[in-house]
Amino acid sequence: MCGIVGYVGPRVATPLLIEGLKRLEYRGYDSAGVAVMNGAGVETVKESGKIARLEALLASAPIHGTTGIGHTRWATHGPPNQTNAHPHTSQDGTIAVVHNGIIENANVLKKMLEGRGYKFTTDTDTEVIAHLIQECFDGVLEDAVIEALWQVEGTYGIAVISSVDSHKIVAARKGSPLLVGLGEDEHFVASDVSAILAHTRQVVYLDDGEMAVVDRNGYRIIDLNATEISKKVAHIDWDLGQIERGGFAHFMLKEIFEQPQTVENTMRGRLLLDEATSKLGGLNLTDEELLSFNNIVITACGTSWHSALIGESLIEELARVPVEVEYASEFRYRNPIVDERTLCIVISQSGETADTLAAMREAKRRGARTLGIVNVVGSTIARESDGGIYIHAGPEIGVASTKAFTSQVVALLLFTLKLARLRDLSYLRGREVVDGMLALPGQIQQILDRAQEIENIAEEFKRASNFLYLGRGYNFPVALEGALKLKEISYIHAEGYPAAEMKHGPIALIDDLMPVVFVAPHDSVFDKITSNVHEVKARKGRVIAITSREEPALEGKIDYEFRIPETMDLLMPILASVPLQLLAYYVAVMRGANVDQPRNLAKSVTVE
Ligand code: G6P
């Protein structure tokens, strides 16, 4: 969602801030700005739209200063114009603030501050923080920030500078990620490690309720009582190449093409061939504990929710433990049946999604053990869960999730194998799954080598205004995910449905203009899906089918076909989702859409 970066050190701050903001742009990007100490005071420059526009403004009027903060915004309060862009400054212009999150009592605080003569010029909740810090300021910035934050309700990751107590950045976190980057004679603050990875790999993650006081020579972590806290320094092992496009037209395409490696990375060192099971070091559960759960709840949002649905089928089929999948946003406000005999699996690429984090905390509060299936190392969900499985897919920059999805499914497979082999899955069947998994990277590569075929199909359908995606069994969530990918990046309305359920509604939409994507590999429900293809064709729908072998039953019923390699039913979602990612990608590119940064979407949704 929004992004924060800050710099204090000997170098000119603005180029570093702009570079950091560009790396954060994928998180949220309707406007951006920087505030830098220019020697005389705090100078703020902000602009609506892309970072490139801010960069052009700064090129025409550079700011010289070595302490500064920057922000990319994804609007929550007020439209995404220049006025509402961050940083926001206090009334006397001495304090500048960037903020991620939402201040829930902003209206109350605003009334109080207006009563004391403060004038508000923006529609944002963040402006309240800037004025409040001015109101509390008595010479020491961190003291003023502490006093202000005691009055604030809601969520925040903030970074603050002051022209009076200059040469330092004060950052604070409650519900919105923040970290301090440690360099030689220089320090950074950032909401996401990618913003500062070009300069340091040593970071300190803030936890909720913590603040950082950072200057050129060092940093202190304190709580809201100003008590010092000692924190571990984490070492980041992603390299810069992983967050750059490396010759691909878009991050999304690069990430789709990385899947042979990322799927392999998720499995690396975790499959025990001789025992036909997996070894998962981070679960923090003994075998006895793993066997003691009565039920499993999986909670997630967006694409991660789709992988959860696949996980449900996997666990129930192989391990025979009842599983329920819930949208995190719904779970947290229900009265779910969760207790100490429940295992709650939380799936999140970013590890920061607000609803998912809140759902996990709710499950914990009710006594459940929590396991995070997370990509971003050191993220909040990774740190707060009782145990977990890192998917090791590397940084995913494209807003539409691709490689994280396939790796999440692989992580769920690894978990299922472990649990199922402890229960009653036979060695032979376990071994079949293991062998099938090992073949996946090569099979994904075979699909990618034929990307041109999908590009040709995209050419045919790029002008469609609706799409229907249908699948059954393991491939129903694949249909949902295919439809989500298309709507996210091409803005074409697309719906995913269980194929047979089509008869109960969507069939009314089918005519000769309606493309229907069938995910129909040769699996145990293939015969069933064949009749659904016939039903669509009888109504002149245009059928695109993902199949896995020549199918006489479908002869004359398919307009466009893409064949994927054969595998076990339960591994099929990993292969079948790849052509659908490519289809969405090519259609979006052909329609001129901004594939990596689709309108209104954010990579990491850190507000409720
Ligand atoms: C946003 C992203 C999606 C993602 C979802 C959940 O909506 O645009 O791609 O699937 O959040 O994110 P998470 O990081 O929790 O997997």
Side-chain angles (χ1 to χ4, degrees), residues 322-492:
V323 180
E324 209 184 324
V325 174
E326 282 244 31
Y327 283 117
S329 52
E330 293 296 316
F331 176 88
R332 60 184 292 198
Y333 291 118
R334 284 202 313 112
N335 187 13
I337 301 175
V338 166
D339 58 25
E340 53 288 342
R341 300 296 293 271
T342 305
L343 177 66
C344 176
I345 300 180
V346 178
I347 308 180
S348 175
Q349 186 285 130
S350 62
E352 302 292 351
T353 301
D355 283 319
T356 312
L357 177 58
M360 181 180 83
R361 287 178 178 160
E362 180 58 21
K364 259 190 160 183
R365 203 182 60 76
R366 289 168 184 260
R369 278 292 274 263
T370 55
L371 277 190
I373 295 186
V374 171
N375 191 30
V376 178
V377 175
S379 56
T380 311
I381 291 175
R383 285 180 294 132
E384 286 192 21
S385 50
D386 298 315
I389 308 172
Y390 278 124
I391 64 172
H392 297 312
E396 190 178 66
I397 308 289
V399 165
S401 185
T402 52
K403 63 176 181 173
F405 173 74
T406 43
S407 283
Q408 285 166 348
V409 178
V410 171
L412 285 160
L413 271 158
L414 291 167
F415 172 79
T416 305
L417 252 189
K418 165 101 187 151
L419 181 61
R421 288 285 290 135
L422 288 176
R423 294 172 69 94
D424 58 4
L425 187 75
S426 70
Y427 169 82
L428 282 179
R429 180 106 168 108
R431 189 56 205 244
E432 205 189 337
V433 177
V434 170
D435 291 342
M437 288 175 74
L438 290 172
L440 288 170
Q443 291 176 317
I444 297 173
Q445 190 59 53
Q446 288 171 29
I447 294 172
L448 295 171
D449 290 344
R450 289 164 40 232
Q452 181 66 47
E453 292 174 40
I454 299 284
E455 197 169 350
N456 297 343
I457 298 176
E459 187 63 44
E460 286 300 313
F461 291 95
K462 65 184 181 201
R463 287 190 195 83
S465 21
N466 294 288
F467 262 79
L468 197 56
Y469 285 71
L470 302 175
R472 300 185 77 140
Y474 278 105
N475 292 310
F476 160 51
V478 175
L480 292 178
E481 176 59 9
L484 179 67
K485 285 291 83 92
L486 188 74
K487 78 181 119 192
E488 278 180 314
I489 59 171
S490 73
Y491 318 135
I492 295 174

Side-chain angles (χ1 to χ4, degrees), residues 133-162:
I133 295 174
Q134 180 192 324
E135 178 70 11
C136 302
F137 191 81
D138 197 14
V140 180
L141 183 59
E142 57 271 34
D143 292 350
V145 173
I146 288 178
E147 202 178 321
L149 290 180
W150 275 111
Q151 300 173 59
V152 162
E153 285 165 22
T155 57
Y156 52 78
I158 55 167
V160 190
I161 53 173
S162 150

Side-chain angles (χ1 to χ4, degrees), residues 67 108 222 295 325 333 350 545 589:
T67 302
V108 179
I222 54 177
N295 67 323
V325 174
Y333 291 118
S350 62
V589 170

